[in-house]
Amino acid sequence: MIPIDRWRPSAGLTLEPNALVAATETDVNLALTAGPGAGKTEMLAQRADFLLRTGQCRYPRRILAISFKVDAARNLKARVRKRCGPELTARLDSHTFHAFAKRLIDRFRPVLKGRDALNADYSIGTNRVQGESITFGDMVPLAQTIIDSSAIARNAVRQTYSHVFLDEFQDCTSDQYRLIKACFLGSPAILTAVGDTKQSIMGWAGALEGIFETFAHEFDARPLNLYQNFRSAPRLRRMQNAMIRVMDPPAASDDAELLGDEGTITVLQYATDEEEAADLTTRVHAMIADSGLPASEIAILVSREQKFFCQRLMAAMDAAGVPYREEDSTQDLASEPVARLIVDFLLVVCGRRETAAHRRLLEQVVFSYGFDEEHEYQQRSRWSRLIADTRARIASREIDLSSERDLTDLAHTVIAAVGRDRIVEMSSDYAQGDRLDQLTADTIAKARALLVQPGDPALALSRFSGDEAIRIMSIHKSKGLEFEAVIVLGVENEMFWSGIAKERSAYFVGISRARTHLLLTYCGQRARPPDFPRPRWDVARTPHLEFLGYAAAAA
């Protein structure tokens, strides 16, 4: 422990004044709004480091961090571990809303009565079966029921957590906000809500309008803003700033603060989507082969409702041998710790230079436990022997990576080597029902589907891990991520049709994922996908002049 006045941001980082204020606040709740690239996650990581190392979060109290995506929760935990080590990080619980709700249900399940009562071996599925199964959407309301009806459960939560972080708070739904109020309104816990109303694109999923104002009023939270964008090059920041002037004028910067020619914005017009697919495939291949840009640093984004029209582009990339990962079907599974564990092990044993996978594997099975030097050496040696033995068995064809049975045996070997109890510690979702077994089976099926294809098995698996693959995803899935180069497909009136305010927010999220290069495309004609009923798909398409026009402000 160190005195407050001796604390400095770790890793030699410099926080902007308001971020430093937020990181070191000790007395009041905060409602922190920040634009893309302003360092929201880094501020939370530094705040955790401050609270833990100065004793403001005093043992045995803990910090609760709630994010909206599994990978965001994992990212925050990893950042905190790098800043204050595994021992202090063990007192940070970083979860999604649903993971937090499930922990409450698992611990206080007997509180639920009547139609809400659940058996000890309940599962989570697509249908609700009384006592036996609940749906994903039932989890948060049931957790709130527990907190509202049990003083023991409510007091247990309040005694456990002295500080709470709420990330991407602009997307909070009414059910989620009611759970937060039930747990912490009127308690001594200090809450820090972080988000950006300009990136509020989850209205379709029930996100509340004006959630920051409601939170600031009901929790008496101090409003703060982070203005600086540390992610994007100046040219890209000027384009974002042009949008901010329309969406949130007080938050806009003076153009004099955004000088510089770094960064590129390219608007590409095509007659057809076939021409678009061919040209973009050539461009991304050149980025990777000629410019040395890692494939994982390139993202192709599309409006959520129209993500299926990437099929022609994916076919062109398949034909050219350009690796990609279709994130909307893979991202959630790939973010699961057990899936990453299995796939990283497979990458290490079937490839020879999979340094990223090897580093992640050792972090997950050795370094994250805070072993002393002797035990760490023993664990590393044990895993080195297992890797060498498995490689030898693959080389001798004793193990066939295209065999479902052999892959299943390998996966179970890895889980046994780690220990099922430790696997369960990686995610509270794994503690109940058959969730862990189902995810293991899904991972094996996904890995086998990749490995039965001709070619390098390590390259095939990298599509799952994302190490060597372009990311193709909806704009909604890209929230919280960043890439060196971003391509936004279909900046056309026909692609954005959910209302201009909502679509501005979605488009803003898309363009602000890029650090250095942004490409915007539009076509005169797109082939209608099979069974797509909209007659307007067959008509000539028109560029979205407002959205494309913001690019001119960057010149």
Side-chain angles (χ1 to χ4, degrees), residues 27-257:
D27 297 321
V28 299
N29 299 322
L30 294 174
L32 185 68
T33 55
K40 298 184 290 292
T41 304
E42 182 58 39
M43 185 282 296
L44 290 176
Q46 297 287 353
R47 178 156 176 72
D49 179 73
F50 167 80
L51 294 172
L52 293 167
R53 288 207 289 135
T54 63
Q56 296 304 298
C57 176
R58 188 175 298 277
Y59 183 84
R61 306 294 289 277
R62 304 174 69 84
I63 300 171
L64 172 64
I66 299 183
S67 303
F68 280 81
K69 292 166 59 176
V70 172
D71 51 356
R74 307 262 189 267
N75 179 27
L76 177 59
K77 185 93 170 182
R79 289 195 189 209
V80 175
R81 184 182 296 116
K82 288 180 179 179
R83 279 143 190 78
C84 56
E87 184 176 353
L88 289 177
T89 304
R91 290 169 49 211
L92 170 74
D93 293 336
S94 186
H95 303 301
T96 62
F97 262 107
H98 288 92
F100 175 58
K102 190 174 187 302
R103 286 172 67 92
L104 294 176
I105 294 169
D106 291 345
R107 183 174 181 184
F108 301 107
R109 177 184 51 78
V111 171
L112 297 171
K113 305 295 183 182
R115 66 178 298 273
D116 290 335
L118 290 173
N119 302 331
D121 60 348
Y122 79 94
S123 61
I124 301 170
T126 55
N127 297 305
R128 185 164 182 174
V129 179
Q130 187 166 351
E132 298 179 6
S133 178
I134 59 175
T135 68
F136 201 65
D138 294 325
M139 296 168 69
V140 171
L142 286 176
Q144 184 202 336
T145 298
I146 289 171
I147 298 299
D148 283 339
S149 58
S150 171
I152 292 176
R154 186 166 56 253
N155 289 337
V157 171
R158 294 181 176 187
Q159 288 297 317
T160 300
Y161 298 113
S162 62
H163 294 80
V164 181
F165 301 165
L166 303 168
D167 197 11
E168 299 290 356
F169 192 59
Q170 75 279 351
D171 293 331
C172 190
T173 68
S174 56
D175 283 344
Q176 292 163 348
Y177 186 56
R178 281 195 291 268
L179 176 59
I180 292 300
K181 288 174 62 177
C183 288
F184 299 111
L185 186 61
S187 79
I190 297 177
L191 279 66
T192 303
V194 182
D196 180 8
T197 55
K198 296 184 293 301
Q199 298 186 65
S200 182
I201 60 175
M202 303 299 285
W204 60 276
L208 286 170
E209 291 283 345
I211 183 62
F212 270 96
E213 291 82 356
T214 301
F215 171 77
H217 172 71
E218 295 187 344
F219 282 83
D220 193 24
R222 175 187 176 187
L224 274 178
N225 292 286
L226 300 185
Y227 294 109
Q228 294 186 37
N229 180 335
F230 295 100
R231 172 194 299 154
S232 302
R235 195 181 298 274
L236 278 68
R237 291 176 63 189
R238 290 198 292 272
M239 180 179 178
Q240 297 163 24
N241 200 51
M243 290 201 71
I244 293 171
R245 283 200 183 95
V246 175
M247 302 167 69
D248 187 10
S253 300
D254 190 311
D255 284 339
E257 301 173 5

Side-chain angles (χ1 to χ4, degrees), residues 484-504:
E484 199 66 25
V486 169
I487 301 169
V488 181
L489 288 184
V491 187
E492 303 154 7
N493 288 307
E494 292 74 18
M495 290 299 168
F496 294 91
W497 41 265
S498 297
I500 189 61
K502 293 179 180 178
E503 296 297 7
R504 276 198 196 102

Side-chain angles (χ1 to χ4, degrees), residues 139-439:
M139 296 168 69
V140 171
L142 286 176
Q144 184 202 336
T145 298
I146 289 171
I147 298 299
D148 283 339
S149 58
S150 171
I152 292 176
R154 186 166 56 253
N155 289 337
V157 171
R158 294 181 176 187
Q159 288 297 317
T160 300
Y161 298 113
S162 62
H163 294 80
V164 181
F165 301 165
L166 303 168
D167 197 11
E168 299 290 356
F169 192 59
Q170 75 279 351
D171 293 331
C172 190
T173 68
S174 56
D175 283 344
Q176 292 163 348
Y177 186 56
R178 281 195 291 268
L179 176 59
I180 292 300
K181 288 174 62 177
C183 288
F184 299 111
L185 186 61
S187 79
I190 297 177
L191 279 66
T192 303
V194 182
D196 180 8
T197 55
K198 296 184 293 301
Q199 298 186 65
S200 182
I201 60 175
M202 303 299 285
W204 60 276
L208 286 170
E209 291 283 345
I211 183 62
F212 270 96
E213 291 82 356
T214 301
F215 171 77
H217 172 71
E218 295 187 344
F219 282 83
D220 193 24
R222 175 187 176 187
L224 274 178
N225 292 286
L226 300 185
Y227 294 109
Q228 294 186 37
N229 180 335
F230 295 100
R231 172 194 299 154
S232 302
R235 195 181 298 274
L236 278 68
R237 291 176 63 189
R238 290 198 292 272
M239 180 179 178
Q240 297 163 24
N241 200 51
M243 290 201 71
I244 293 171
R245 283 200 183 95
V246 175
M247 302 167 69
D248 187 10
S253 300
D254 190 311
D255 284 339
E257 301 173 5
L258 307 176
L259 296 177
D261 295 326
E262 295 84 2
T264 63
I265 300 174
T266 307
V267 178
L268 301 169
Q269 177 184 3
Y270 302 103
T272 66
D273 56 349
E274 186 174 12
E275 179 185 324
E276 175 189 64
D279 183 61
L280 288 180
T281 299
T282 300
R283 286 175 181 268
V284 296
H285 185 273
M287 289 181 191
I288 298 168
D290 301 338
S291 302
L293 186 64
S296 58
E297 283 292 336
I298 303 172
I300 298 173
L301 309 183
V302 64
S303 170
R304 179 173 62 91
E305 294 86 354
Q306 314 294 351
K307 61 185 180 184
F308 47 79
F309 78 72
C310 295
Q311 292 172 357
R312 180 154 282 181
L313 174 59
M314 290 189 289
M317 293 169 69
D318 279 332
V322 176
Y324 65 87
R325 185 173 89 174
E326 202 280 295
E327 293 282 291
D328 286 45
S329 64
T330 305
Q331 187 183 49
D332 291 341
L333 178 60
S335 298
E336 291 289 346
V338 68
R340 292 305 296 260
L341 174 66
I342 294 169
V343 172
D344 281 342
F345 182 81
L346 291 174
L347 273 166
V348 170
V349 297
C350 71
R352 291 294 176 181
R353 296 183 181 179
E354 302 301 324
T355 54
H358 201 185
R359 183 180 65 250
R360 286 194 303 266
L361 180 65
L362 290 180
E363 176 66 30
Q364 204 168 13
V365 302
V366 178
F367 300 141
S368 63
Y369 293 104
F371 294 125
D372 59 37
E373 188 173 343
E374 180 180 352
H375 283 89
E376 181 180 294
Y377 174 77
Q378 292 173 352
Q379 290 297 316
R380 290 187 65 176
S381 298
R382 185 168 73 95
W383 279 94
S384 294
R385 289 193 297 271
L386 178 59
I387 290 167
D389 177 64
T390 306
R391 280 176 172 167
R393 294 173 65 198
I394 292 172
S396 67
R397 302 187 184 279
E398 182 183 347
I399 293 177
D400 178 3
L401 291 177
S402 65
S403 163
E404 182 178 358
R405 185 183 66 181
D406 286 0
L407 282 177
T408 301
D409 289 345
L410 269 182
H412 290 161
T413 296
V414 173
I415 290 173
V418 177
R420 193 176 179 91
D421 289 344
R422 279 190 169 174
I423 297 287
V424 170
E425 288 175 4
M426 295 177 183
S427 174
S428 60
D429 288 354
Y430 303 166
Q432 285 283 337
D434 63 352
R435 175 69 171 163
L436 177 56
D437 294 333
Q438 185 59 57
L439 285 171

